[in-house]
Amino acid sequence: MASQPPPPAPIVNPDIKYTQIFINNEWVNSASGKTFPTINPTNGKKICDVQEGDKADVDKAVAAAKAAIQHGSPWRSMDASQRGRLLNKLADLIERDHVYLASLETLDNGKPYRESFNVDVNAAMVTLRYYAGWTDKVTGKTIPIDGTFFCYTRHEPVGVCGQIIPWNFPLNMMSWKIAPALACGNTVVVKPAEQTPLTALYLASLAKEAGFPPGVLNVVPGYGPTAGAAITNHQDVRKVAFTGSTEVLDMAVEFAHMALFYNMGQVCTAGSRTFVQEDIYDEFVKKATARAKAKTVGDPFDVTIESGPQVNEEQFDKILGMIESGKQEGAKLECGGARLGNEGYFIQPTVFSNVTDNMRIAKEEIFGPVQQIIKFKDMEEVIARANDTPYGLAAACFTENLDTALTFTSRVEAGTVWVNFYHFVSPAAPFGGFKMSGVGREMGEYGLSQYSEVKNVIIKTQTKL
Amino acid sequence: MAAPPPPITSPEVKFTQIFINNEWVNSASGKTFPTINPTNGKKICDVQEGDKDDVDKAVAAAKAAFKHGSPWRSMDATKRAALLNKLADLVERDRVYLASLETLDNGKPYTAAYAGDISGVIGALRYYAGWTDKMTGKTIPVDGPFFAYTRHEPVGVCGQIIPWNFPAALVAMKIAPALACCNTVVLKPAEQTPLTALYLASLVKEAGFPPGVVNVVPGYGPTAGAAITNHPDIRKVSFTGSTEVGKLIMEGAAKSNLKRVTLELGGKSPLVVFKDANLDEVVEWAHQAVFYNMGQVCTAGSRTFVHEDIYDEFVKKAVARAQKRVIGDPFELKNDSGPQVDNDQFEKILELIESGKKEGAKLECGGARLGDEGYFIQPTVFSNVTDNMRIAKEEIFGPVQQIIKFKDMEEVIARANDTEYGLAAACFTNDIDTALTFTSRVEAGTVWVNAYHKSSVSAPFGGFKMSGIGREMGEYGLAQYTEIKTVMMKTSQKL
């Protein structure tokens, strides 16, 4: 989040090239003939119609993915290093189309173009390149077991992987899913979020251009209860990976601000409970409020603004509802607290102080630009309160003291813990949640195990080898 | 394999100086040495001859480039990867030129240089580019209130001494892991074949590596090579070449500053044909095992053990195959072999052939020079070779095949292992248990079953016994260029 040079100018009306279902490297209409609209959240208007996939389309996609992973198929027979070349080639094509993809993402999701360009599309490239490097390094072991045997393990692909992508980082999350899956030799059926299907479909066209054989990557846009359920329930899908919500003193102020307000608060790891030690509490609240008031919100294609709208009306309504509960339950509204403007889904940056642990805004995931500032006294107390939640995705502490940092990081129940930072993730480091924030780790070497089936082979021999 | 694009038969030699800090400079002494075309014994050009003073300058540059806070040391691992991949892209761009230059300087067939050597350069660079951001340490639950972890740090300035048999490929196989681990390098190519190393240095600069990260000092072993071996600021030396010189390097490394040593040395590798093997296929594999690259391969299958039941048949077919091998101008696509690399090798091989004749082996074909210009030798096959003959014990490094009779597994394993070498081995059989037994018992760093000479940048390579120390390539190869640091932080309570 260091300051970046300004990105090249966006394409504010990007041409929508792909709106169909992508199976076997071909574009096809839905079996039912139905389509659904994708909406521009800056004005609530339809961008275009997209083919709506359902069970019949998922069945076709899975059949294609299954054929593509049969022993003897081009994909199954391909050298691992060649899989790596294809992933790198795909990253190169994303780089070539960087401006277009970032513009398309901003159009469909509403996030500032500056972020799409510098963060989202960039992250897709680095993730693909990272996993391109792993393809020929996925090794098993030979194991000296008792008796007259030759024993070893193979790390094999799982098979057809169903991947359901969220709307908050559409292109980025799609690359997080397909990169390790393809690196390990699997084939995939991807369902992008219905709110944001466009960059996923464009990425599919690049996968074809890069040279992935037909059936390796398939994309079925549609809704969760139909297309998503069809993937989850399919007999021939061997693995399902899902990202989404379950049935939610000058440097610290800035990091705490970014921790909450980045991506309009629509981040699974948003730092949405800001615990501040009582000695510096009032000062912190004053500065945090001033910072929130200074936040610029507007047209996401304007490279000078920091935030765009929320992604859709449903989120917009939910966030405003949570803000009302904060007012009603007695939190002090320091700034914001209402809609911004009268078109699209823009919400004013909102700060609550004097928040207590039992309030809804302190317990439920808001997924919007609403910061909760909470007072605490000492380490033991704040660790207990930090851990008093069924969630466990991320945490952070801000301190100069070595022992404080080491104690906090070891005791807090979270999959990623930052010290004097926030929101930094790397494709090289594992990411995932404790408790009800998730199951398993993605990214890094750890991410490979999600997409590998370990086979143990034991061969009888006549003598001890 | 598809035919390669036509070679440049008179490639322009663009770089003949010493490469330090991304600049081309003359030798401190003003001396130069000639590099020779082995197809005709004539000089190609003169190259600046580096010695101790030049090595000192190169090491100083590499040391500065390695300091904490330097551009190289501060670079993200992913950026190092981008530079290695960019270098591979440039090699791909100039593939025809590099292969032609390699053929001009070394004499190997252009078809092999294009499809094998330069392909190997690209593969090694891209493979290690993928490792840069994946070299992780561990956090370790030690007893007591401590936070303990390991860091995988670079070693420092690495000296790398390259042989003449696969000049460009070995430059890449040495610099790729070294640079992936964030070391800096001072490299001495073989005096017989300096040209592709110097051209690769120009591509290193073009790719964007900071000055001082890669330095190339052409010169001779006893001068420039010794200066590298003995230098107090070089923390590691990696050498590929003869066992004899390998011993000198290890000695010099120990006596100077205990610099870390990796050695890839010679071999006298056994290739064992069991009686159930597919005879025609095996004859071809055994032929390539010893005649590939004019026999100038450390892993050459130079002791061909054949089961007595199929021995006579094997010899007949092996001889017919050797007689079909086409030797000539390496730029002509139809030729299987070119000349040996220089006069020293040429004479050594002919002398060993004479010893075979004198010690009683049966000369089946070849056994003498081919033509009267350059260093060409006829493909030579000896049968009825016994273990005590010089041709069965010493590394020939030429186009000479020794076919030896054996009776059973226990005996052939004992005879295969009865050598101070241990680089490679192979067995040819269709029986699972035979294959598993042989591969587990033979003392060699790489063992093939029903194949030969297959190497992969992903798999470790190196020798048992006096064939070398350490493993290069694969994940294992990273350890050669890594210094492990353990950190333990005291904490106020158990974490």
Side-chain angles (χ1 to χ4, degrees):
Chain A
M1 294 202 288
S3 68
Q4 300 260 19
I11 305 164
V12 300
N13 281 315
D15 190 27
I16 312 299
K17 300 178 192 180
Y18 304 101
T19 59
Q20 292 174 286
I21 296 169
F22 184 77
I23 297 177
N24 262 335
N25 280 7
E26 283 167 12
W27 297 101
V28 294
N29 287 338
S30 63
S32 66
K34 284 163 75 179
T35 63
F36 69 97
T38 184
I39 306 296
N40 181 339
T42 62
N43 57 23
K45 297 197 169 72
K46 177 169 86 172
I47 299 170
C48 64
D49 289 306
V50 175
Q51 292 296 316
E52 186 185 332
D54 202 328
K55 186 179 182 310
D57 310 284
V58 168
D59 284 347
K60 282 200 208 122
V62 172
K66 195 175 172 190
I69 205 176
Q70 290 305 304
H71 274 283
S73 71
W75 183 240
R76 205 65 193 262
S77 320
M78 193 181 284
D79 282 338
S81 56
Q82 180 58 18
R83 288 205 302 274
R85 302 265 198 289
L86 292 178
L87 287 164
N88 268 322
K89 178 72 179 163
L90 181 55
D92 290 346
L93 294 175
I94 292 174
E95 203 170 343
R96 179 193 68 190
D97 298 343
H98 197 158
V99 169
Y100 173 78
L101 268 164
S103 303
L104 190 63
E105 191 81 299
T106 285
L107 180 72
D108 206 8
N109 170 283
K111 61 176 63 205
Y113 171 77
R114 200 176 64 183
E115 297 300 322
S116 305
F117 187 91
N118 286 328
V119 178
D120 296 61
V121 179
N122 196 57
M125 283 191 276
V126 303
T127 302
L128 286 163
R129 292 205 165 105
Y130 175 80
Y131 278 107
W134 267 120
T135 58
D136 54 356
K137 302 171 181 71
V138 176
T139 54
K141 304 174 193 290
T142 57
I143 307 171
I145 61 175
D146 286 356
T148 57
F149 295 97
F150 173 50
C151 175
Y152 63 94
T153 57
R154 283 172 50 79
H155 286 209
E156 306 188 342
V158 176
V160 177
C161 298
Q163 305 189 315
I164 300 170
I165 314 295
W167 49 256
N168 56 346
F169 293 90
L171 184 68
N172 187 0
M173 288 294 104
M174 184 160 164
S175 69
W176 271 38
K177 297 251 180 293
I178 68 173
L182 298 178
C184 293
N186 298 283
T187 56
V188 302
V189 174
V190 173
K191 188 200 89 61
E194 60 272 23
Q195 296 88 340
T196 53
L198 298 181
T199 48
L201 293 173
Y202 189 77
L203 186 64
S205 76
L206 295 184
K208 176 178 180 173
E209 188 182 344
F212 284 88
V216 171
L217 172 69
N218 306 277
V219 182
V220 183
Y223 291 90
T226 46
I231 286 174
T232 306
N233 295 318
H234 205 293
Q235 300 281 55
D236 289 330
V237 171
R238 295 269 159 244
K239 178 187 173 63
V240 177
F242 168 75
T243 296
S245 59
T246 56
E247 211 231 67
V248 189
L249 219 116
D250 293 354
M251 176 197 72
V253 168
E254 183 60 27
F255 275 116
H257 176 84
M258 292 313 301
L260 188 287
F261 289 99
Y262 178 62
N263 207 43
M264 291 67 74
Q266 298 169 149
V267 193
C268 45
T269 50
S272 49
R273 289 185 291 151
T274 310
F275 289 93
V276 180
Q277 206 153 24
E278 56 186 8
D279 295 353
I280 53 169
Y281 186 81
D282 295 333
E283 185 70 17
F284 187 98
V285 170
K286 208 164 26 173
K287 293 188 174 205
T289 303
R291 181 58 182 96
K293 282 179 173 166
K295 195 161 195 68
T296 54
V297 185
D299 172 11
F301 278 111
D302 178 347
V303 298
T304 65
I305 64 96
E306 295 172 76
S307 277
Q310 308 309 123
V311 75
N312 67 3
E313 188 170 9
E314 189 186 331
Q315 288 296 313
F316 174 79
D317 286 343
K318 174 184 160 196
I319 296 160
L320 290 177
M322 293 291 298
I323 289 173
E324 285 314 305
S325 80
K327 293 173 188 171
Q328 260 145 46
E329 288 182 332
K332 181 176 177 215
L333 183 70
E334 297 280 350
C335 67
R339 182 186 200 176
L340 183 70
N342 49 17
E343 195 187 47
Y345 314 119
F346 296 87
I347 294 180
Q348 299 169 21
T350 299
V351 177
F352 280 109
S353 65
N354 293 353
V355 176
T356 55
D357 295 0
N358 57 309
M359 294 177 184
R360 283 185 64 209
I361 55 173
K363 293 176 10 168
E364 296 174 36
E365 187 177 40
I366 302 175
F367 232 59
V370 187
Q371 184 175 37
Q372 285 59 242
I373 310 182
I374 309 168
K375 195 181 294 189
F376 81 96
K377 206 181 175 80
D378 61 49
M379 173 71 87
E380 283 305 313
E381 167 217 343
V382 77
I383 283 175
R385 291 168 69 189
N387 288 339
D388 184 20
T389 167
Y391 287 120
L393 190 57
C397 66
F398 289 84
T399 177
E400 304 274 72
N401 185 277
L402 184 61
D403 206 71
T404 300
L406 292 178
T407 301
F408 181 83
T409 54
S410 68
R411 298 275 304 278
V412 72
E413 293 161 0
T416 297
V417 188
W418 290 288
V419 178
N420 297 335
F421 215 71
Y422 212 93
H423 276 323
F424 180 75
V425 294
S426 163
F431 179 87
F434 280 41
K435 300 188 280 189
M436 290 183 79
S437 282
V439 177
R441 294 290 174 274
E442 295 191 307
M443 298 297 102
E445 183 180 0
Y446 295 81
L448 294 170
S449 63
Q450 306 297 328
Y451 291 101
S452 298
E453 201 68 57
V454 178
K455 172 184 288 180
N456 183 260
V457 178
I458 305 184
I459 300 180
K460 178 79 181 67
T461 60
Q462 290 181 17
T463 61
K464 186 79 180 167
L465 292 186
Chain B
M1 204 176 299
I8 304 165
T9 54
S10 287
E12 188 196 335
V13 178
K14 301 179 192 181
F15 303 101
T16 59
Q17 292 173 289
I18 296 170
F19 183 77
I20 296 177
N21 262 335
N22 281 4
E23 286 167 9
W24 296 101
V25 294
N26 287 338
S27 62
S29 65
K31 286 164 75 178
T32 64
F33 67 98
T35 184
I36 306 295
N37 180 340
T39 63
N40 56 24
K42 298 199 169 67
K43 178 169 86 173
I44 298 170
C45 64
D46 288 306
V47 174
Q48 293 296 316
E49 184 185 332
D51 202 327
K52 186 178 182 310
D53 287 340
D54 310 285
V55 167
D56 284 347
K57 283 199 204 119
V59 173
K63 197 175 171 191
F66 184 75
K67 271 178 95 74
H68 268 285
S70 72
W72 182 239
R73 263 335 256 290
S74 317
M75 198 179 278
D76 281 337
T78 50
K79 180 73 167 70
R80 287 205 304 278
L83 290 176
L84 286 165
N85 269 319
K86 177 71 179 165
L87 180 57
D89 291 344
L90 296 175
V91 172
E92 238 177 284
R93 178 193 70 189
D94 298 344
R95 192 171 172 181
V96 169
Y97 172 77
L98 265 164
S100 303
L101 191 63
E102 192 79 300
T103 287
L104 179 72
D105 207 7
N106 170 283
K108 63 174 67 202
Y110 169 78
T111 49
Y114 184 89
D117 296 59
I118 305 306
S119 187
V121 173
I122 296 165
L125 291 167
R126 293 209 195 284
Y127 175 81
Y128 278 109
W131 267 119
T132 60
D133 59 351
K134 301 173 181 66
M135 289 178 281
T136 54
K138 302 175 194 289
T139 56
I140 304 169
V142 300
D143 284 358
F146 292 93
F147 174 49
Y149 62 94
T150 55
R151 284 174 49 80
H152 284 209
E153 305 193 345
V155 180
V157 177
C158 299
Q160 304 187 317
I161 301 172
I162 314 293
W164 50 257
N165 58 345
F166 295 92
L170 278 157
V171 167
M173 282 162 61
K174 290 218 188 296
I175 67 172
L179 299 177
C181 294
C182 200
N183 297 284
T184 56
V185 168
V186 173
L187 185 153
K188 186 197 90 59
E191 60 274 22
Q192 297 89 338
T193 53
L195 299 182
T196 48
L198 293 172
Y199 189 78
L200 284 170
S202 76
L203 296 184
V204 163
K205 177 178 180 174
E206 188 182 343
F209 285 87
V213 171
V214 175
N215 307 276
V216 181
V217 183
Y220 290 89
T223 46
I228 285 174
T229 302
N230 296 316
H231 204 292
D233 287 333
I234 289 181
R235 292 284 160 214
K236 186 228 164 45
V237 64
S238 173
F239 168 78
T240 297
S242 68
T243 295
E244 182 195 348
V245 175
K247 289 168 85 174
L248 292 174
I249 290 185
M250 190 167 178
E251 187 182 346
K255 283 185 164 153
S256 53
N257 62 348
L258 277 175
K259 49 176 66 65
R260 288 90 176 88
V261 175
T262 307
L263 302 174
E264 302 283 0
L265 307 176
K268 191 68 184 178
S269 300
L271 186 160
V272 180
V273 184
F274 289 92
K275 67 180 181 206
D276 69 316
N278 305 325
L279 197 57
D280 288 328
E281 276 175 37
V282 182
V283 166
E284 184 60 27
W285 281 108
H287 174 82
Q288 296 300 342
V290 76
F291 289 101
Y292 175 63
N293 207 45
M294 293 66 74
Q296 300 168 147
V297 192
C298 45
T299 50
S302 50
R303 288 186 291 152
T304 311
F305 289 93
V306 180
H307 194 274
E308 57 185 12
D309 291 0
I310 54 170
Y311 186 83
D312 294 335
E313 182 73 13
F314 183 97
V315 169
K316 212 169 19 182
K317 292 183 181 233
V319 171
R321 180 59 182 92
Q323 285 168 330
K324 273 197 1 227
R325 195 171 187 84
V326 190
I327 321 290
D329 173 7
F331 278 111
E332 261 187 71
L333 304 188
K334 68 173 174 61
N335 287 328
D336 300 321
S337 282
Q340 307 309 122
V341 77
D342 67 8
N343 192 53
D344 283 350
Q345 289 294 312
F346 175 76
E347 291 190 344
K348 174 185 158 193
I349 296 160
L350 289 176
E351 193 264 325
L352 274 159
I353 289 174
E354 285 313 303
S355 81
K357 294 173 188 169
K358 285 206 191 72
E359 289 183 333
K362 180 176 178 213
L363 182 69
E364 297 277 353
C365 67
R369 180 184 204 180
L370 183 70
D372 49 18
E373 193 188 48
Y375 314 119
F376 297 87
I377 295 179
Q378 300 169 22
T380 300
V381 179
F382 282 108
S383 64
N384 292 353
V385 176
T386 54
D387 296 0
N388 56 311
M389 294 176 183
R390 284 184 63 207
I391 55 172
K393 295 179 4 173
E394 296 174 37
E395 188 176 39
I396 303 175
F397 232 58
V400 187
Q401 183 175 39
Q402 285 60 240
I403 310 182
I404 310 167
K405 194 181 293 189
F406 82 95
K407 207 183 172 82
D408 63 49
M409 175 71 86
E410 284 306 313
E411 167 218 339
V412 78
I413 284 175
R415 290 168 69 189
N417 287 339
D418 185 19
T419 167
E420 281 308 300
Y421 288 119
L423 192 56
C427 67
F428 290 82
T429 176
N430 289 309
D431 185 80
I432 295 179
D433 210 70
T434 299
L436 291 177
T437 302
F438 181 84
T439 54
S440 69
R441 299 275 303 279
V442 71
E443 294 160 1
T446 299
V447 188
W448 291 290
V449 177
N450 297 332
Y452 211 92
H453 277 324
K454 164 82 187 138
S455 67
S456 165
V457 71
S458 317
F461 178 86
F464 280 41
K465 301 189 283 192
M466 290 181 79
S467 282
I469 292 182
R471 293 292 177 271
E472 296 190 310
M473 300 297 103
E475 183 180 2
Y476 296 82
L478 296 171
Q480 308 297 328
Y481 289 100
T482 300
E483 201 69 54
I484 311 267
K485 172 184 288 179
T486 299
V487 179
M488 298 207 212
M489 290 186 185
K490 177 82 179 63
T491 58
S492 60
Q493 49 182 284
K494 186 82 182 160
L495 293 186

